[in-house]
Amino acid sequence: AKDASNSLAFLMLQKLLEEGKITEEQANRYRSMYERLNTAVVDVYDNETKLYSMNSSHKKELLELKKVMEEKKRSVESLKEACEVEHRKKEQLNKDFSGKQLELKLVDSQLQNYLNQERDKEKQLEEMIKRKEEAVKPLLDDLNAKLREALEEVRIQNENMQKETEAKELYLAEIEKLKATIEDLQRDKHEKRRSLSLEINTPDKIRGESDALSRNRAKKEKEALTLLEDMQKLKAEVEEKESQIQKIKLEVDQHRQTITRHRGSLGKEADKLAQVEKKLEREKQKNIE
């Protein structure tokens, strides 16, 4: 048919276009190729008809025309081959497109499963952190209470030590006074003995004064011994208090180390949670892209 627009090929192209199997650009290209092919076929047919109606005087022209026809036939064959190649390419593209669609669906399904797993892990991690915080809170409260008690006890011990130090200083000052008094009595005793050797007083008077000095000296020495014993007791009490303070400081350090370990554990859990959140954010961003 000379009018290619009403041909079966045009109708098939229009149907493929309506079904969405080819684009408008592909349809126009195939129409153009078919129009050229149809024109060539019509020309060949017309020329062959004219050839048989010509007389022998036009044989030479007919031969030339035949050559032209052969060339057009070859062009038609080339166009046919091109159409077949394009058709095969279209079928391959359709197959590739279907395969990519299946791969995309598979990837979407895998990504959704992964996101669901990550959400479950995030919930589990949040619950685990919550349980650990609830488990650690009483321990932290107890440690803080013990720490406050220990600090209060240290403060009281320091106050007691200060008082004991002040009392010790008073005892030492009193002892120094007693030592000075004893030395004065000894000097006075020796001075009186020396004076008695020179005087001609009665022996009874000298003996009475000597006995009084001896009694006074014994009294002062007894007081000095009592003070020394009190100092020894005070020193022992101070050493015991210092030992107790060292034990309290050691317990406080242990409590602080325990608190530090628990805080470090909580910090690690918080870091893990932050990493999971970052990972989920990256996956969400990839999914959006």
Side-chain angles (χ1 to χ4, degrees), residues 32-43:
S32 177
M33 294 170 64
Y34 184 79
E35 286 177 350
R36 292 197 302 270
L37 175 62
N38 185 69
T39 301
V41 171
V42 170
D43 290 340

Side-chain angles (χ1 to χ4, degrees), residues 8-22:
L8 179 61
F10 269 52
L11 295 176
M12 291 178 65
L13 288 173
Q14 184 64 29
K15 184 177 180 182
L16 292 174
L17 179 61
E18 292 174 354
E19 292 176 353
K21 295 183 178 179
I22 61 174

Side-chain angles (χ1 to χ4, degrees), residues 238-250:
V238 170
E239 291 177 352
E240 183 179 359
K241 295 296 183 183
E242 289 178 349
S243 177
Q244 292 177 357
I245 290 172
Q246 291 297 326
K247 290 180 180 179
I248 292 171
K249 287 181 178 180
L250 181 60

Side-chain angles (χ1 to χ4, degrees), residues 208-223:
E209 291 178 353
S210 178
D211 292 339
L213 290 172
S214 297
R215 288 193 297 272
N216 192 11
R217 178 185 177 185
K219 181 180 179 181
K220 295 297 182 181
E221 288 178 350
K222 184 176 180 181
E223 291 177 354

Side-chain angles (χ1 to χ4, degrees), residues 221-282:
E221 288 178 350
K222 184 176 180 181
E223 291 177 354
L225 290 172
T226 302
L227 287 173
L228 288 173
E229 291 176 355
D230 292 339
M231 284 181 61
Q232 293 294 331
K233 292 179 181 179
L234 179 61
K235 183 178 179 181
E237 290 178 359
V238 170
E239 291 177 352
E240 183 179 359
K241 295 296 183 183
E242 289 178 349
S243 177
Q244 292 177 357
I245 290 172
Q246 291 297 326
K247 290 180 180 179
I248 292 171
K249 287 181 178 180
L250 181 60
E251 292 178 357
V252 170
D253 291 337
Q254 291 176 349
H255 290 326
R256 287 176 177 172
Q257 291 175 1
T258 302
I259 292 171
T260 302
R261 287 196 299 271
H262 285 298
R263 287 176 178 172
S265 178
L266 290 175
K268 291 180 180 179
E269 296 297 335
D271 292 338
K272 290 181 180 179
L273 179 59
Q275 291 177 359
V276 171
E277 289 177 350
K278 290 180 180 179
K279 189 174 182 181
L280 287 173
E281 187 63 28
R282 288 196 298 268

Side-chain angles (χ1 to χ4, degrees), residues 35-62:
E35 286 177 350
R36 292 197 302 270
L37 175 62
N38 185 69
T39 301
V41 171
V42 170
D43 290 340
V44 169
Y45 179 77
D46 291 341
N47 290 331
E48 287 179 348
T49 303
K50 291 178 181 180
L51 180 63
Y52 290 110
S53 63
M54 288 181 180
N55 53 30
S56 59
S57 62
H58 295 92
K59 283 184 179 181
K60 186 176 181 180
E61 295 177 1
L62 291 173

Side-chain angles (χ1 to χ4, degrees), residues 106-288:
L106 179 61
V107 170
D108 288 338
S109 177
Q110 292 175 348
L111 179 60
Q112 189 62 41
N113 291 334
Y114 176 76
L115 291 175
N116 292 334
Q117 291 176 0
E118 290 300 320
R119 290 192 191 96
D120 293 338
K121 288 180 181 178
E122 183 180 0
K123 290 180 181 178
Q124 292 174 1
L125 182 59
E126 290 176 353
E127 292 175 355
M128 181 181 67
I129 291 174
K130 185 177 180 181
R131 288 195 301 271
K132 286 191 175 182
E133 288 177 349
E134 292 175 352
V136 170
K137 188 177 182 302
L139 179 60
L140 290 176
D141 293 340
D142 183 59
L143 289 176
N144 289 327
K146 288 183 179 179
L147 180 60
R148 287 193 296 270
E149 292 175 359
L151 292 174
E152 180 64 20
E153 188 172 352
V154 169
R155 185 186 66 78
I156 294 172
Q157 293 292 338
N158 288 333
E159 290 179 356
N160 293 334
M161 285 182 63
Q162 182 67 26
K163 292 178 181 178
E164 291 170 356
T165 302
E166 292 175 355
K168 180 180 178 181
E169 291 175 354
L170 291 175
Y171 281 131
L172 292 174
E174 187 68 25
I175 289 171
E176 292 297 328
K177 289 180 182 179
L178 288 173
K179 286 182 179 180
T181 301
I182 291 170
E183 290 176 357
D184 291 339
L185 289 172
Q186 288 178 345
R187 283 194 299 270
D188 186 53
K189 179 180 178 180
H190 289 304
E191 183 66 26
K192 286 186 177 182
R193 282 179 179 179
R194 189 178 62 81
S195 298
L196 286 172
S197 65
L198 298 175
E199 293 179 355
I200 56 173
N201 292 332
T202 60
D204 293 335
K205 181 179 181 181
I206 294 171
R207 190 179 297 110
E209 291 178 353
S210 178
D211 292 339
L213 290 172
S214 297
R215 288 193 297 272
N216 192 11
R217 178 185 177 185
K219 181 180 179 181
K220 295 297 182 181
E221 288 178 350
K222 184 176 180 181
E223 291 177 354
L225 290 172
T226 302
L227 287 173
L228 288 173
E229 291 176 355
D230 292 339
M231 284 181 61
Q232 293 294 331
K233 292 179 181 179
L234 179 61
K235 183 178 179 181
E237 290 178 359
V238 170
E239 291 177 352
E240 183 179 359
K241 295 296 183 183
E242 289 178 349
S243 177
Q244 292 177 357
I245 290 172
Q246 291 297 326
K247 290 180 180 179
I248 292 171
K249 287 181 178 180
L250 181 60
E251 292 178 357
V252 170
D253 291 337
Q254 291 176 349
H255 290 326
R256 287 176 177 172
Q257 291 175 1
T258 302
I259 292 171
T260 302
R261 287 196 299 271
H262 285 298
R263 287 176 178 172
S265 178
L266 290 175
K268 291 180 180 179
E269 296 297 335
D271 292 338
K272 290 181 180 179
L273 179 59
Q275 291 177 359
V276 171
E277 289 177 350
K278 290 180 180 179
K279 189 174 182 181
L280 287 173
E281 187 63 28
R282 288 196 298 268
E283 294 297 334
K284 290 178 182 178
Q285 189 65 30
K286 289 181 180 179
N287 192 20
I288 292 172

